[in-house]
Amino acid sequence: MSQQPVQTVSGKLILLIKAGYWLALLIIATMVAASFVLLQQTMATQQHNNTLLDIVGTQKTLSQRIVFLASATGAASRDKRPALVSALKQATAEFETNYDLLLEQTGADPQSPAKLDPKSIESVLFAKPFHLDYFSVGLIANGDRLISALESQLNLDNDGYKGGAERVNLDASVANATLSGYAALGQRISADADARSEKLLALHRTLFYATLGVILLVALFIFRPMSNAILRKTRELVDARNSMAFIAVHDGLTGLHNRTFLTDHFDTLIKGAHRRRERLAVVQLDLDRFKQINDTLGHAAGDYVLVVTAQRMRDSCRASDLCARLGGDEFVMILNGAGSTEDINMLARRILAHINEPIVFQGTTILPGASGGIAVYPIDADNAQDLLVHADLALYSAKKMGGGNFSFFSEELRRELDYRKQLEHDIKVAISERAFQVYFQPQVSLTDGTISGIEALVRWNHHERGMISPGEFIPVAEKCGFMPEIGRIVISKAINEAAEWNRAGIAFGRLAVNVSGTELREHDFDAFLFETLEKAGLPPQKLSLEIVESVILDDEKTGIAAKLRHIRAAGVHLELDDFGTGYASLSHVNPNEIDRLKIDRRFVQNIHENGDNSKIVRAITELARGLGISIVAEGAETEAELDSLLAIGCDQVQGYSIAFPMPQDKALEWLTARMPKKAKLRVLQGSLA
């Protein structure tokens, strides 16, 4: 799945979770708010009912007080009457105020049809049998009349009622009627309050259950899917994290541990072996024919061989052992509790025998041919890095013996390792001092003897050990990654020398320089080449790059093929070196990609005696001639070999029979000596007649 759809799905999920969360929160908040409002309403209604009941109770008391004060005033002496009249007046006014408040609070209307309902408040106030409104108003009116009459008798300020007190009816019957009316009103208010409370409680109960139901629905249809989605995503994240953790320490193709895991855990294994006083064997494995398998059968076959090899390694070792893939076709096995040397020997033979069993891929039988190098802790080294280096050196020794076998690290290899380390150091110094020299070996035409080209070869004259063979230091430089720097030194020196020859008019054909795949993988190699040519003043057509067949097999992944096309388009020639020894397809022998084929020396040596070699060289020559590609044979050392090549039709040759590789001053002398002589004019003496 691409990144965009994944982000879209994640965005939709996040939006859904947010929407569900806020919807659930809104629903719950609404239910809580409704419950709160209902509770507030219940409390307000309760408070209102309590207020009405308080008023009713006060009115009952005041009605009895008014009647009592009226009676007491009539029976009291004249000097005590003013105080009683004042108390009566205050009680009557308070009764009237409370009654008005009661009517206002209840909202009772004498015209309302509700007065016909015996259960209503209006029925108590305005209908039989209580007529509370009539008795209350009458009590207030009679109280006011009595007060006015008494104030007149006592000569108090009064503009009200002028009749006598005997005409005012404030006896016990009025008090009892009023008292019973208010008692009935209190009961009716309590009954209404209970009914309303019951309704509110029922509504509150319904709302409570509804809230529970909504919460349950939210949990089922919002939070449950949301939690499931979150749980699913959490599991996916955990799985992704576990996958990333697995990938970080495992090889993606074979499933074995990778170099990172080996580096992190090797020291722990060594400490464990030291604590248990056991030996630990490091077996480094390499497939001898892996490159051939890749080149001939394709990368799918190569990957299959790697997977099968990894499985066979797992099958051959114990659970306590460690198997790792370092990269490419390089594997390492760490054997805990390895035992004696003989035990390790037997175990290594069994492992190699199992790995070297034939592998069938799509009907093709493949012989992987694994080799192994063994280093033992604590005999050969006491740290992880040295053990791996020693095992690698032992592996190299096994490969030199022909492959398909294993070798133990030894003192001889230790001395070789020390020499190699010193050689690595010396190579670094030589690179910094640009001490590598360029030797030149000419290429000539057998037909007319003209110089068709000259090959630049690297040489190293060590200040202590003298001349060191390229076969000795180049493999070390390649393994250590020094070849790009050495190659640039050689290319620069060779191009500068050829440019001087070109300016001097010295014929040398084309300068041929060997270039490795490592150099071509440098991202700025083409820029460096063009800049060097421009600075030196050598035309690109005077330069030829020699590449081996493995380089031209590049499948565009490294960009080498495109880089070669770019270089060739600029005028630089390309030559296929050591042709016939690699695994290039004939489809790569294309005049649009290659300008010249170079027949390897193993086909040239003793060609006059070896009929097979003669046939191979003839076939290559005819193929090249048919495609319009020039050809040169290297390694010709005898007159017989030269004659055979000329007879076959291979005109251009290079070898010791023509010239040995020479330093630049000797090469200049050789080239100058073979320059065509210019004719000199002689002036004739004497008379022309």
Side-chain angles (χ1 to χ4, degrees):
M1 184 181 287
S2 63
Q3 187 175 1
Q4 177 115 15
V6 171
Q7 291 179 347
T8 303
V9 172
S10 299
K12 289 182 179 179
L13 179 61
I14 293 173
L15 183 62
L16 179 63
I17 290 175
K18 287 183 177 179
Y21 172 79
W22 286 110
L23 178 62
L25 194 63
L26 179 63
I27 293 174
I28 294 174
T30 302
M31 302 299 288
V32 171
S35 179
F36 175 77
V37 170
L38 188 59
L39 181 62
Q40 289 291 103
Q41 186 178 356
T42 302
M43 294 176 64
T45 303
Q46 186 68 28
Q47 186 176 5
H48 176 72
N49 293 333
N50 290 337
T51 301
L52 290 179
L53 291 175
D54 289 343
I55 293 174
V56 169
T58 301
Q59 291 295 83
K60 288 164 63 177
T61 302
L62 288 174
S63 65
Q64 300 303 308
R65 181 177 175 79
I66 289 171
V67 173
F68 172 76
L69 289 174
S71 300
T73 302
S77 58
R78 186 177 179 84
D79 59 330
K80 294 182 179 180
R81 281 186 176 183
L84 293 173
V85 169
S86 177
L88 178 61
K89 186 175 182 180
Q90 181 180 357
T92 303
E94 186 177 355
F95 183 84
E96 183 179 8
T97 301
N98 286 343
Y99 185 67
D100 292 339
L101 181 61
L102 181 64
L103 292 177
E104 180 183 351
Q105 292 286 338
T106 58
D109 182 7
Q111 304 300 325
S112 174
K115 67 181 180 180
L116 301 178
D117 183 6
K119 296 182 179 181
S120 66
I121 293 176
E122 284 81 356
S123 174
V124 176
L125 289 172
F126 307 117
K128 295 179 181 180
F130 300 105
H131 288 288
L132 181 59
D133 180 69
Y134 170 79
F135 287 109
S136 295
V137 172
L139 183 62
I140 295 169
N142 289 333
D144 288 340
R145 294 190 189 102
L146 178 60
I147 292 168
S148 296
L150 292 174
E151 286 178 344
S152 297
Q153 291 178 5
L154 297 174
N155 296 321
L156 299 175
D157 294 336
N158 178 31
D159 296 330
Y161 180 71
K162 301 299 183 181
E166 64 279 0
R167 300 182 61 180
V168 179
N169 183 19
L170 279 177
D171 54 12
S173 61
V174 174
N176 291 335
T178 305
L179 180 63
S180 62
Y182 275 105
L185 181 62
Q187 292 176 357
R188 191 59 45 79
I189 290 174
S190 296
D192 289 347
D194 291 342
R196 277 195 291 270
S197 296
E198 186 62 30
K199 289 181 180 180
L200 289 175
L201 286 174
L203 182 60
H204 193 277
R205 191 181 301 110
T206 302
L207 184 60
F208 173 74
Y209 289 131
T211 302
L212 291 179
V214 168
I215 292 175
L216 181 61
L217 292 175
V218 167
L220 288 176
F221 296 104
I222 295 180
F223 285 116
R224 184 180 179 183
M226 189 188 307
S227 63
N228 290 338
I230 294 173
L231 181 61
R232 185 174 64 255
K233 285 298 177 183
T234 302
R235 287 174 178 168
E236 291 176 1
L237 288 174
V238 171
D239 292 341
R241 183 198 63 186
N242 293 338
S243 298
M244 291 175 64
F246 182 86
I247 292 171
V249 295
H250 287 80
D251 175 59
L253 176 64
T254 63
L256 297 179
H257 292 295
N258 57 15
R259 186 185 292 271
T260 301
F261 183 87
L262 180 65
T263 303
D264 294 340
H265 291 76
F266 205 160
D267 289 334
T268 304
L269 295 175
I270 292 176
K271 291 177 182 177
H274 176 73
R275 186 172 56 254
R276 296 187 299 269
R277 300 181 181 275
E278 293 177 346
R279 285 186 174 188
L280 185 146
V282 179
V283 182
Q284 186 155 342
L285 301 170
D286 184 274
L287 301 181
D288 302 327
R289 303 183 184 90
F290 183 70
K291 186 177 184 305
Q292 178 182 353
I293 294 169
N294 264 340
D295 292 342
T296 56
L297 300 178
H299 291 286
D303 291 346
Y304 182 76
V305 169
L306 293 176
V307 171
V308 172
T309 301
Q311 185 58 48
R312 290 177 177 178
M313 288 174 60
R314 279 190 288 259
D315 295 340
S316 301
C317 65
R318 302 159 299 180
S320 60
D321 299 332
L322 173 64
C323 297
R325 181 189 178 200
L326 300 182
D329 61 334
E330 297 181 18
F331 299 88
V332 166
M333 297 179 69
I334 311 297
L335 308 178
N336 284 299
S340 65
T341 303
E342 184 60 30
D343 295 332
I344 299 173
N345 192 347
M346 292 176 59
L347 181 59
R349 288 187 184 280
R350 180 168 57 84
I351 293 172
L352 277 184
H354 187 39
I355 293 176
N356 285 330
E357 291 177 359
I359 298 174
V360 179
F361 175 76
Q362 296 181 354
T364 302
T365 301
I366 301 173
L367 300 176
S371 297
I374 304 173
V376 181
Y377 168 87
I379 298 173
D380 298 322
D382 59 357
N383 62 83
Q385 183 176 0
D386 287 346
L387 282 170
L388 288 173
V389 171
H390 293 174
D392 182 59
L393 199 60
L395 171 63
Y396 182 71
S397 175
K399 281 183 168 292
K400 286 198 299 184
M401 292 188 297
N405 207 335
F406 64 90
S407 175
F408 281 87
F409 182 74
S410 62
E411 284 301 321
E412 181 181 352
L413 293 178
R414 189 185 301 276
R415 288 191 294 271
E416 185 177 333
L417 176 62
D418 294 338
Y419 173 75
R420 176 178 165 182
K421 288 181 178 179
Q422 183 61 44
L423 191 61
E424 289 180 14
H425 175 266
D426 293 344
I427 291 175
K428 289 181 182 178
V429 174
I431 290 173
S432 63
E433 296 176 352
R434 297 178 67 85
F436 293 99
Q437 300 174 350
V438 180
Y439 276 45
F440 299 93
Q441 187 175 28
Q443 301 163 348
V444 300
S445 171
L446 294 176
T447 304
D448 54 15
T450 58
I451 301 172
S452 60
I454 189 166
E455 182 178 6
L457 302 169
V458 63
R459 293 294 185 267
W460 182 21
N461 190 3
H462 194 276
H463 63 282
E464 292 180 356
R465 284 176 279 182
M467 193 67 70
I468 299 178
S469 169
E472 184 176 347
F473 71 83
I474 286 181
V476 177
E478 287 178 340
K479 195 167 187 66
C480 297
F482 297 150
M483 278 311 297
E485 297 173 274
I486 296 175
R488 295 199 178 193
I489 293 174
V490 173
I491 291 173
S492 298
K493 289 186 175 183
I495 288 178
N496 288 330
E497 186 65 22
E500 291 184 9
W501 297 340
N502 190 56
R503 283 190 292 270
I506 299 174
F508 61 89
R510 270 196 305 269
L511 172 68
V513 180
N514 290 279
V515 180
S516 66
T518 306
E519 295 174 69
L520 289 170
R521 290 187 190 96
E522 296 285 316
H523 69 281
D524 62 339
F525 176 80
D526 47 353
F528 156 76
L529 184 65
F530 297 146
E531 182 182 357
T532 305
L533 287 170
E534 184 178 358
K535 286 183 178 179
L538 182 67
Q541 295 78 10
K542 302 293 289 184
L543 177 65
S544 178
L545 298 184
E546 292 189 4
I547 56 176
V548 294
E549 295 181 30
S550 60
V551 173
I552 205 169
L553 284 171
D554 172 57
D555 58 358
E556 304 286 347
K557 291 182 180 179
T558 60
I560 292 180
K563 191 172 296 182
L564 289 175
R565 287 192 291 269
H566 178 219
I567 292 172
R568 190 169 184 269
V572 178
H573 289 240
L574 295 182
E575 299 184 12
L576 194 55
D577 196 9
D578 299 335
F579 185 73
T581 61
Y583 306 99
S585 168
L586 289 178
S587 63
H588 293 98
V589 185
N590 189 332
N592 296 321
E593 297 180 0
I594 297 297
D595 297 290
R596 186 164 71 166
L597 298 179
K598 198 169 188 181
I599 302 176
D600 187 69
R601 65 178 64 249
R602 71 189 67 180
F603 299 117
V604 175
Q605 291 176 350
N606 298 321
I607 188 173
H608 57 289
E609 298 175 352
N610 191 323
D612 292 337
N613 284 353
S614 178
K615 293 176 182 177
I616 292 173
V617 173
R618 185 183 301 276
I620 295 174
T621 303
E622 291 177 356
L623 171 67
R625 185 181 298 114
L627 293 173
I629 300 175
S630 62
I631 194 165
V632 61
E634 65 175 338
E637 299 180 358
T638 66
E639 287 290 338
E641 291 171 353
L642 293 177
D643 293 339
S644 296
L645 290 171
L646 183 59
I648 288 173
C650 182
D651 176 57
Q652 299 178 32
V653 296
Q654 172 186 346
Y656 293 162
S657 61
I658 304 299
F660 286 91
M662 300 170 284
Q664 58 188 38
D665 54 343
K666 297 293 183 182
L668 178 59
E669 292 179 8
W670 194 92
L671 293 172
T672 304
R674 282 155 182 78
M675 287 182 62
K677 305 296 182 181
K678 293 183 179 179
K680 294 184 179 180
L681 294 177
R682 288 174 53 190
V683 179
L684 297 177
Q685 301 295 329
S687 175
L688 297 178

